[in-house]
């Protein structure tokens, strides 16, 4: 008798794939001089491009406490990836922005991610890869109350 997949198989496959890709990204980043970064920092960089963000905005984006966001900002600032600047519209707030090193790091990450995506497209074929991307967008919208992060634009 044919055994059907269990209810967790899809999530397990997504998690395994995600973890393998993140591990490869982080290994490549380390080889290029960014061994002090962790996967969570990539989400910080994503929110800071292009205009920066306040600590409160980062905390909300990452769904962490303001204290945890502040600690992450401190960590990245000590290593030269971000800087705190006066907020142009609110003197009570500080704006966290990427430094030259932060922008360079972002460029390296984008280059590595593009290569990983091309490899995936080579395995699936470009048409199936595009269909997969559209399906992931739809799932992201469905599971996120119809809200897509500002940096992601619908592709259909």
């Amino acid at each position: 008798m044919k055994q059907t997949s269990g209810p967790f198989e899809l999530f397990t496959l997504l998690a395994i794939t995600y973890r393998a890709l993140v591990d490869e990204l982080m290994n490549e980043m380390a080889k290029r001089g960014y061994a002090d970064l962790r996967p969570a920092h990539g989400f910080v960089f994503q929110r800071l491009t292009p205009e920066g963000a306040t600590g409160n905005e980062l905390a909300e984006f990452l769904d962490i406490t303001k204290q945890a966001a502040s600690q992450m900002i401190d960590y990245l600032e000590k290593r030269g990836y971000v800087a705190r600047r006066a907020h142009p519209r609110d003197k009570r707030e500080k704006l966290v922005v990427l430094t030259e090193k932060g922008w360079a790091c972002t460029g390296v990450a984008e280059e590595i991610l593009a290569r990983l995506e091309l490899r995936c497209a080579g395995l699936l074929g470009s048409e199936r890869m595009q269909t997969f991307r559209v399906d992931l967008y739809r799932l992201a919208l469905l599971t996120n109350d119809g809200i897509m992060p500002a940096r992601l634009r619908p592709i259909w």
Side-chain angles (χ1 to χ4, degrees):
M1 174 161 45
K2 183 178 177 185
Q3 184 176 359
T4 60
S5 63
F8 301 110
E9 184 178 50
L10 172 64
F11 301 101
T12 301
L13 290 169
L14 287 170
I16 289 169
T17 303
Y18 175 75
R19 183 58 196 226
L21 292 170
V22 169
D23 286 349
E24 189 165 344
L25 169 65
M26 298 312 296
N27 288 336
E28 285 296 315
M29 293 296 291
K31 288 178 188 174
R32 297 197 192 190
Y34 301 103
D36 54 349
L37 294 176
R38 302 293 169 258
H41 298 137
F43 294 104
V44 173
F45 285 33
Q46 182 183 25
R47 177 59 184 91
L48 294 181
T49 56
E51 71 280 345
T54 66
N56 290 340
E57 290 168 337
L58 271 176
E60 184 178 325
F61 179 77
L62 298 170
D63 197 24
I64 60 176
T65 66
K66 293 174 189 175
Q67 181 181 6
S70 182
Q71 290 172 351
M72 195 175 292
I73 294 164
D74 289 344
Y75 178 92
L76 293 171
E77 187 174 39
K78 286 177 186 168
R79 286 154 183 81
Y81 293 103
V82 303
R84 288 177 170 102
R85 303 249 163 79
H87 196 290
R89 293 178 305 279
D90 186 348
K91 300 303 177 199
R92 300 168 296 166
E93 291 273 8
K94 291 287 184 185
L95 193 63
V96 181
V97 296
L98 292 175
T99 62
E100 188 174 316
K101 181 179 179 180
W103 282 107
C105 174
T106 299
V108 169
E110 287 176 353
E111 174 190 320
I112 295 166
L113 291 169
R115 191 167 26 91
L116 289 172
E117 186 173 329
L118 281 173
R119 193 171 82 215
C120 291
L123 293 169
L124 297 177
S126 59
E127 188 175 310
R128 283 187 66 200
M129 187 67 180
Q130 182 61 16
T131 300
F132 182 58
R133 179 187 302 278
V134 169
D135 289 343
L136 285 175
Y137 268 87
R138 288 181 176 143
L139 287 172
L141 281 169
L142 187 72
T143 58
N144 198 35
D145 297 326
I147 300 168
M148 184 61 67
R151 293 213 54 222
L152 296 177
R153 304 283 185 257
I155 55 174
W156 57 83

